[in-house]
């Protein structure tokens, strides 16, 4: 019996348990033996259904991957397995074929060995499956029967079910947290391996980045290859400088327009339109940057006499990234401007200040902490952004302030280090984890600081 | 009918020789809703005028017509005529910026800007270009804070934030801010409603001191306060001006039934 069929069978059993328990609970309600039963009949139903399904499903979830190993062990110990070729890829192909023959998906194999192996495979498969099915069904029956015997007028099925629901919800949120912790742990672990090959100081403060060289064994961890400063600089140059030079003024000004000048009707259609920018997939921004903006920037650079202007430039990536970030900045600024009390605005207008004076001298200064918080969040997003820089910024690890030159960023290099055939323990690939760790730490800090600033600001006007 | 009427508004004191502002048949609409209904009143130069009346009767709305603060509300519309020293303030030629420098306003909740005490007071003079250089600005700030009775308390910490002061101090700071542009009229909309009794007494004292130098209009829901600080009282009800007269008259001998009911606390 396949896992899917088994799963469906268990669910069907649970449904049956649900119906039986409910019928029983309804019966003793009707029978008048307990006019005030503790729980509604359906809770008894759920109680039995959960006891039927949950243990059996947990068993299936554990058994399915485990049984694959058991099958493999058994097949490999069969006499026919002795004739398998030593070459890994061929072996895998033959085993897959044997499995398909055993399951009746294909009539015969391309490799003669697979035909020989098929009976052993079929044997092992049916044995483990039967075993799994028997245990799962036993568990389902036992659980269901146990729960069913407890169905009585005074049994607190509702409380039990609620508790189980809570446990399930807790479990769901724990999964997200555990996953994050797992990712952090792996980042830390792999970075530690990297730093055993490359001096952390060299990595953090070195200015020479050329990880390709270090692939050769005689140069593993060679000094000079992993100075990440050009990457950090490129990231800051594009994400925190050029992009912000675009996003801050445009975002702030559109927020000011929307909150202070636009009539409600205008605001109603303009705000969603602006926020639509945030819904454009980053890969679209990426090719917009690479195919439209970058050539224009290069031509402009050449036109104003910058010979070094290339078709991959910090400026092109930064400009497009800035556009992408606008809705982010403007919606944060919008919120903080709206949080400035109307009384503040009235106070200024009553002094004879014009609307723009009021905005410049009172509203923007009052909203500033909130805006700064928003900008920090925007920066943290910009430096983690990948698609645009991969497509438009380039790969050359230049340490330059020339916006027409190509620079590279942390995210671009991570992609670069991990694409293609890689050994997963060379300094080159491990460097990606170290870069990821740096990015993670910086982004985390930016977020913490930003949220603090914004929170403080909110409190100030409550 | 005897002398007590319920419908006819008392004649406004039209013959006040020292009228600073006069309103004639002023109505205010929020969209289609009429919030102030044909109010005519003279605001005296030398006296403190109090507006009293139950909440929602249009006191604030009418007060805000006097310096055109209703212009800042998108759906508000004003009809009628308001004259300041012979000039129609709703005439096209009237510059709102200058009007508001002449007719200042203090709000219900103290609303200092999140700037230093000094900058709060200097705000108006800067906007209107009243000071030539730092020394003159210092002088204006000091004079305004002194008139608002706040100087002694803050003279050593002018650079501290205005929002760090106590509620009562903040309100006096707002009065100093209004005074700094040397207005002719000061409008106060329930200036003490967010303050404790001691701070309230302080503000009332201040209103006494400022009387004569500025024409003062104060909205209050506190009748004792109206009796204490004002010489003229106007009673509003449901958007209309019901009765207007000498404060002593209004409180001891109201001519309209509704005024009497309100003052004796029968509704409100
Ligand atoms: N901005 C506004 N938009 C619409 N209606 C308003 C607005 N402000 C006040 N009102 C209405 O106008 C009436 C008078 O309000 P207001 O002048 O604030 O009364 P008061 O100051 O006497 O309590 C009330 O019914 C109030 O609901
Ligand atoms: Mg009011």
């Amino acid at each position: 019996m396949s896992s899917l069929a088994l799963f469906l069978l268990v669910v069907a059993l649970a449904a049956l348990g649900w119906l039986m328990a409910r019928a029983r609970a309804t019966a003793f309600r009707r029978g008048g033996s307990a006019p005030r039963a503790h729980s509604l009949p359906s809770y008894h139903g759920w109680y039995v259904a959960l006891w039927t399904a949950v243990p059996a499903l947990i068993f299936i979830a554990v058994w399915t991957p485990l049984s694959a190993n058991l099958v493999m062990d058994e097949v490999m110990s069969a006499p026919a397995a002795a004739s398998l070729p030593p070459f890994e890829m061929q072996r895998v192909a033959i085993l897959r074929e044997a499995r398909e023959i055993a399951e009746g998906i294909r009539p015969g194999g391309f490799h003669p060995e697979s035909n020989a192996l098929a009976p052993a495979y079929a044997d092992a498969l049916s044995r483990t499956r039967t075993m799994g099915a028997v245990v799962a069904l036993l568990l389902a029956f036992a659980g269901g029967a146990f729960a069913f015997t407890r169905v009585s007028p005074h049994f607190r099925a509702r409380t039990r079910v609620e508790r189980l629901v809570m446990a399930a919800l807790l479990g769901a949120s724990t999964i997200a947290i555990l996953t994050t912790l797992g990712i952090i742990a792996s980042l830390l672990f792999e970075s530690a391996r990297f730093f055993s090959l490359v001096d952390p100081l060299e990595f953090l403060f070195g200015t020479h980045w050329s990880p390709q060289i270090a692939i050769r064994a005689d140069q593993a961890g060679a000094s000079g290859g992993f100075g990440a400063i050009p990457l950090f600089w490129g990231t800051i140059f594009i994400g925190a400088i050029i992009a912000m030079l675009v996003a801050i003024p445009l975002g702030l000004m559109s927020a000011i327009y929307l909150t202070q000048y636009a009539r409600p009707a205008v605001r109603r259609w303009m705000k969603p339109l602006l926020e639509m920018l945030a819904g454009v997939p980053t890969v679209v921004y990426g090719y917009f940057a690479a195919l439209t903006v970058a050539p224009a920037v290069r031509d402009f650079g050449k036109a104003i006499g910058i010979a070094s202007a290339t078709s991959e430039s910090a400026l092109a990536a930064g400009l497009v990234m800035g556009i992408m970030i606008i809705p982010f900045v403007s919606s944060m600024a919008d919120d903080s401007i709206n949080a400035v009390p109307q009384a503040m605005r009235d106070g200024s207008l009553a002094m004879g200040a014009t609307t723009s004076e009021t905005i410049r001298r009172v509203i923007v200064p009052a909203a500033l902490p909130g805006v700064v918080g928003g900008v920090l969040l925007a920066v943290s997003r910009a430096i983690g952004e990948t698609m645009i820089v991969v497509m438009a910024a380039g790969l050359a690890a230049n340490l330059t302030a020339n916006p027409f030159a190509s620079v590279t960023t942390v995210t671009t290099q991570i992609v670069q280090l991990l694409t293609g055939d890689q050994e997963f323990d060379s300094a080159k690939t491990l460097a990606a984890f170290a870069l990821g760790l740096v990015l993670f730490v910086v982004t985390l800090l930016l977020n913490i600081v930003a949220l603090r600033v914004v929170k403080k600001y909110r409190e100030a006007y409550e | 009918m005897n002398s007590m009427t319920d419908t006819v508004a008392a004649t406004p004191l039209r013959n006040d020789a020292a009228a600073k502002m006069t309103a004639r048949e002023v109505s205010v609409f929020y969209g289609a809703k009429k919030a102030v209904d044909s109010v005519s009143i003279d605001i005296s130069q030398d006296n403190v005028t109090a507006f009293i009346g139950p909440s929602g009767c249009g006191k604030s709305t009418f007060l805000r017509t006097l310096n055109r603060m209703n212009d800042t509300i998108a759906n508000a519309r004003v009809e009628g005529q308001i004259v300041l020293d012979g000039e129609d303030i709703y005439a096209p030629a009237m510059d709102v910026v200058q009007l508001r420098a002449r007719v200042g306003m203090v709000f219900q909740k103290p609303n200092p800007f999140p700037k230093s005490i000094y900058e709060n007071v200097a705000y108006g003079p800067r906007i209107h270009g009243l000071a030539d250089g730092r020394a003159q600005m210092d002088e204006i700030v000091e004079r305004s804070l002194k008139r608002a009775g706040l100087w002694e308390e803050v003279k050593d910490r002018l650079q501290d934030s205005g929002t760090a002061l106590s509620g009562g101090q903040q309100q006096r700071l707002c009065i100093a801010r209004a005074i700094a542009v040397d207005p002719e009229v000061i409008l106060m909309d329930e200036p003490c409603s967010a303050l404790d009794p001691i701070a309230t007494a302080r503000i009332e004292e201040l209103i006494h001191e400022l009387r004569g130098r500025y024409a003062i209009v104060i909205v209050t829901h506190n009748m004792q306060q109206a009796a204490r600080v004002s010489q003229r009282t106007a009673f509003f009800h449901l958007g209309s001006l019901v009765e207007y007269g000498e404060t002593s008259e209004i409180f001891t001998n109201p001519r309209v039934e509704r005024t009497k009911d309100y003052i004796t606390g029968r509704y409100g």
Side-chain angles (χ1 to χ4, degrees):
Chain A
M1 195 184 299
S2 79
S3 298
L4 179 65
L6 192 56
F7 172 82
L8 291 177
L9 191 61
V10 167
V11 170
L13 277 176
L16 186 69
W18 190 87
L19 287 172
M20 283 170 62
R22 196 184 61 155
R24 184 165 176 198
T26 313
F28 58 60
R29 272 207 156 193
R30 287 245 183 74
S33 63
R36 299 288 306 154
H38 176 269
S39 308
L40 288 175
S42 65
Y43 278 110
H44 289 284
W46 280 117
Y47 181 71
V48 171
L50 287 168
W51 262 107
T52 311
V54 172
L57 290 183
I58 290 177
F59 170 76
I60 294 173
V62 175
W63 177 253
T64 306
L66 202 70
S67 68
N69 285 346
L70 291 180
V71 169
M72 193 51 73
D73 283 352
E74 226 171 296
V75 171
M76 293 311 281
S77 62
S83 59
L84 278 177
F87 188 47
E88 171 87 20
M89 264 158 76
Q90 239 173 334
R91 223 161 50 181
V92 170
I94 290 169
L95 283 169
R96 188 169 56 231
E97 241 178 45
R99 185 190 168 103
E100 283 167 4
I101 296 169
E103 288 181 345
I105 297 173
R106 61 155 76 206
F110 174 75
H111 303 276
E113 295 94 332
S114 55
N115 286 322
L117 261 178
Y121 221 120
D123 227 33
L125 268 179
S126 79
R127 209 175 4 237
T128 50
R129 279 187 181 161
T130 316
M131 217 146 65
V134 167
V135 175
L137 292 180
L138 270 179
L139 273 174
F141 272 115
F146 163 74
F148 193 74
T149 56
R150 300 187 68 180
V151 174
S152 78
H154 299 294
F155 179 62
R156 300 173 168 251
R158 171 161 48 83
T159 322
R160 302 297 173 101
V161 171
E162 286 298 335
R163 219 177 281 162
L164 246 165
V165 168
M166 194 199 76
L169 296 179
L170 179 69
S173 55
T174 318
I175 287 176
I177 295 171
L178 287 181
T179 311
T180 314
L181 289 181
I183 292 173
I184 295 174
S186 107
L187 269 183
L188 285 173
F189 178 72
E190 303 292 344
S191 301
R193 280 175 64 192
F194 174 72
F195 288 128
S196 69
L197 298 177
V198 175
D199 181 10
L201 290 178
E202 166 61 25
F203 172 71
L204 288 175
F205 300 110
T207 56
H208 179 64
W209 179 264
S210 55
Q212 271 67 17
I213 302 166
I215 241 176
R216 295 210 310 266
D218 57 331
Q219 284 191 10
S223 62
F226 288 100
I229 284 286
L231 277 54
F232 298 151
W233 165 246
T235 307
I236 291 170
F237 193 36
I238 293 178
I241 299 178
I242 300 177
M244 290 304 135
L245 284 178
V246 175
I248 293 174
L250 290 180
L252 195 56
M253 283 193 281
S254 47
I256 288 173
Y257 173 74
L258 285 175
T259 54
Q260 306 296 313
Y261 289 95
R263 281 180 292 118
V266 176
R267 181 180 162 89
R268 209 163 33 241
W269 62 260
M270 245 182 106
K271 204 169 143 70
L273 222 56
L274 184 65
E275 270 154 17
M276 224 166 71
L277 275 182
V280 178
T282 55
V283 66
V284 174
Y285 279 116
Y287 64 68
F288 175 61
L291 301 181
T292 311
V293 179
V297 164
R298 180 199 55 208
D299 295 345
F300 175 74
K302 292 255 197 273
I304 62 170
I306 295 170
S308 62
T310 61
S311 56
E312 284 174 331
S313 63
L315 191 56
L319 286 177
V320 175
M321 198 185 282
I323 302 279
M324 184 188 82
I325 298 289
I326 286 175
F328 206 71
V329 174
S330 86
S331 84
M332 292 295 292
D334 195 314
D335 287 351
S336 0
I337 290 175
N338 270 331
V340 176
Q342 178 68 23
M344 211 76 91
R345 189 162 173 250
D346 285 347
S348 171
L349 293 172
M351 296 296 304
T354 62
T355 310
S356 73
E357 279 169 338
T358 302
I359 290 164
R360 208 154 23 87
R361 292 169 183 259
V362 175
I363 294 180
V364 170
L368 202 59
V371 174
V372 169
V375 167
L376 289 182
L377 285 180
V379 170
S380 96
R381 255 202 73 172
I383 63 175
E385 162 55 36
T386 309
M387 226 52 222
I388 295 174
V389 286
V390 165
M391 294 170 86
L395 294 170
N398 289 326
L399 196 50
T400 170
N402 174 3
F404 292 98
S406 165
V407 298
T408 193
T409 71
V410 172
T411 49
T412 316
Q413 287 303 316
I414 291 177
V415 171
Q416 192 59 26
L417 291 171
L418 293 183
T419 40
D421 287 335
Q422 305 294 349
E423 304 161 60
F424 266 83
D425 50 3
S426 75
K428 185 184 165 190
T429 38
L430 290 175
F433 288 95
L435 288 175
L437 183 66
V438 171
L439 199 57
F440 173 75
V441 169
V442 171
T443 313
L444 187 70
L445 287 179
L446 275 174
N447 275 287
I448 290 173
V449 172
L451 291 179
R452 281 241 169 132
V453 170
V454 172
K455 187 156 164 271
K456 268 252 168 66
Y457 167 74
R458 293 266 149 78
E459 282 164 1
Y461 289 122
E462 243 142 46
Chain B
M1 246 187 223
N2 59 16
S3 63
M4 284 290 198
T5 67
D6 190 46
T7 47
V8 183
T11 27
L13 301 186
R14 293 194 187 217
N15 306 327
D16 201 325
K20 182 72 184 171
M21 298 187 83
T22 59
R24 288 296 171 264
E25 278 154 29
V26 172
S27 299
V28 186
F29 301 83
Y30 291 114
K33 186 179 161 237
K34 203 175 205 179
V36 168
D37 184 10
S38 191
V39 168
S40 298
I41 194 171
D42 288 359
I43 305 294
S44 151
Q45 164 66 65
D46 302 321
N47 294 302
V48 175
T49 305
F51 291 175
I52 61 171
S55 162
C57 68
K59 305 180 298 289
S60 300
T61 302
F62 180 69
L63 189 76
R64 291 160 62 94
T65 60
L66 299 177
N67 69 344
R68 290 185 56 173
M69 277 301 282
N70 287 323
D71 292 13
T72 64
I73 298 172
N75 64 343
R77 186 164 54 82
V78 179
E79 281 177 4
Q81 189 191 43
I82 297 177
V83 171
L84 169 64
D85 276 344
E87 266 182 280
D88 180 355
I89 67 170
Y90 281 89
M94 173 56 72
D95 179 23
V96 188
V97 167
Q98 269 161 14
L99 171 69
R100 291 186 187 145
R102 291 171 66 188
V103 183
M105 189 157 193
V106 176
F107 295 81
Q108 186 164 354
K109 223 181 128 220
N111 58 350
F113 303 132
K115 297 170 180 285
S116 69
I117 294 170
Y118 184 98
E119 282 304 322
N120 262 282
V121 181
Y123 187 76
R126 274 199 216 295
I127 283 174
H128 298 288
L130 299 184
D132 286 330
R134 180 85 195 183
Q136 205 175 349
M137 185 63 87
D138 289 350
E139 209 179 292
I140 293 177
V141 169
E142 181 174 344
R143 187 176 63 225
S144 308
L145 285 169
K146 276 183 174 155
R147 281 199 192 150
L150 192 59
W151 176 252
E152 289 305 321
E153 289 156 67
V154 301
K155 66 176 182 219
D156 299 322
R157 48 181 180 132
L158 291 175
Q159 295 313 319
D160 288 8
S161 172
T163 50
L165 296 171
S166 74
Q169 289 174 324
Q170 288 189 14
Q171 196 61 301
R172 276 180 281 145
L173 178 62
C174 292
I175 294 175
R177 187 173 74 185
I179 288 174
V181 292
D182 210 16
E184 298 158 38
V185 182
I186 299 178
L187 311 174
M188 300 188 182
D189 191 352
E190 304 196 19
C192 303
S193 66
L195 306 183
D196 61 61
I198 293 173
T200 300
R202 195 79 189 72
I203 302 271
E204 290 181 4
E205 216 174 282
L206 179 59
I207 292 173
H208 272 297
E209 287 161 18
L210 297 177
R211 178 190 157 201
R213 188 185 291 277
Y214 312 100
I216 295 175
V217 184
I218 177 171
V219 171
T220 174
H221 59 243
N222 176 340
M223 279 173 290
Q224 285 77 29
Q225 182 169 68
R228 281 195 300 266
V229 303
S230 73
Q231 290 74 47
R232 299 269 188 280
T233 295
F235 171 58
F236 286 78
H237 189 217
L238 300 175
S240 309
L241 175 59
V242 175
E243 185 166 354
Y244 179 42
E246 300 279 343
T247 299
S248 52
E249 281 288 302
I250 296 271
F251 278 91
T252 56
N253 188 20
R255 286 177 295 153
V256 182
E257 189 82 41
R258 274 192 285 172
T259 318
K260 189 175 160 201
D261 287 349
Y262 181 67
I263 284 166
T264 53
R266 215 161 298 163
Y267 65 92

